[in-house]
Amino acid sequence: MKTSVFYAKLHQARVTDANIEYKGSIGIDQDLIALAGMYQYQKVLVVDLENGNRLETYIIPAERGSGDITLNGAAARLVSVGDRVIIIAFVDVEIPVPSDWDPRVVILDEENRVESVSGRLLVENMPS
């Protein structure tokens, strides 16, 4: 039997743009995607720290090194530019979850620069 568990997150990312006209997704700087061990098109949970809204969407790559975090489509109505969000990725693992499970946590500053990284990349064949 499997369960879905948290394995990586970008914590306190700042929303840099919200585009209602785009067809959906969250654009994330490619460097941040790789550092967190996330994947293009992966489903993520996005939690807005300013208003409490929670939404699911999927990742698309934004320009490498840009610091961009862009909510698109209907999700753009649930956030405002400048809001702090937590972007959480999950993975399915066999029960019981390994006792040494140590999710990757990337904490960002107000300009989406990396303040700290903890945990480890937990999924094999992670993007570089």
Side-chain angles (χ1 to χ4, degrees):
M1 181 183 299
K2 290 188 174 192
T3 188
S4 184
V5 296
F6 151 60
Y7 86 94
K9 73 177 174 177
L10 296 169
H11 192 74
Q12 295 192 33
R14 292 276 178 178
V15 175
T16 58
D17 194 15
N19 182 355
I20 192 72
E21 299 303 323
Y22 193 84
K23 293 181 175 125
S25 70
I26 182 170
I28 303 174
D29 176 327
Q30 291 177 56
D31 288 339
L32 297 176
I33 293 171
L35 183 61
M38 295 176 179
Y39 292 94
Q40 179 175 337
Y41 305 123
Q42 180 178 24
K43 181 172 78 170
V44 289
L45 173 65
V46 180
V47 181
D48 190 313
L49 292 167
E50 313 309 334
N51 61 31
N53 286 333
R54 300 168 72 90
L55 62 102
E56 286 184 348
T57 191
Y58 61 93
I59 296 171
I60 60 170
E63 182 180 344
R64 188 174 298 282
S66 65
D68 285 350
I69 303 290
T70 303
L71 274 296
N72 298 306
R77 294 196 181 277
L78 300 175
V79 301
S80 297
V81 172
D83 283 2
R84 294 171 301 149
V85 295
I86 304 169
I87 304 163
I88 308 165
F90 300 85
V91 66
D92 291 338
V93 299
E94 291 291 333
I95 295 173
V97 176
S99 61
D100 63 345
W101 195 256
D102 188 20
R104 175 61 63 106
V105 176
V106 179
I107 298 178
L108 303 175
D109 70 9
E110 63 279 348
E111 295 181 14
N112 292 333
R113 294 178 301 218
V114 176
E115 280 191 353
S116 66
V117 179
S118 62
R120 56 190 171 92
L121 295 176
L122 295 167
V123 178
E124 294 179 26
N125 302 318
M126 296 309 300
S128 58

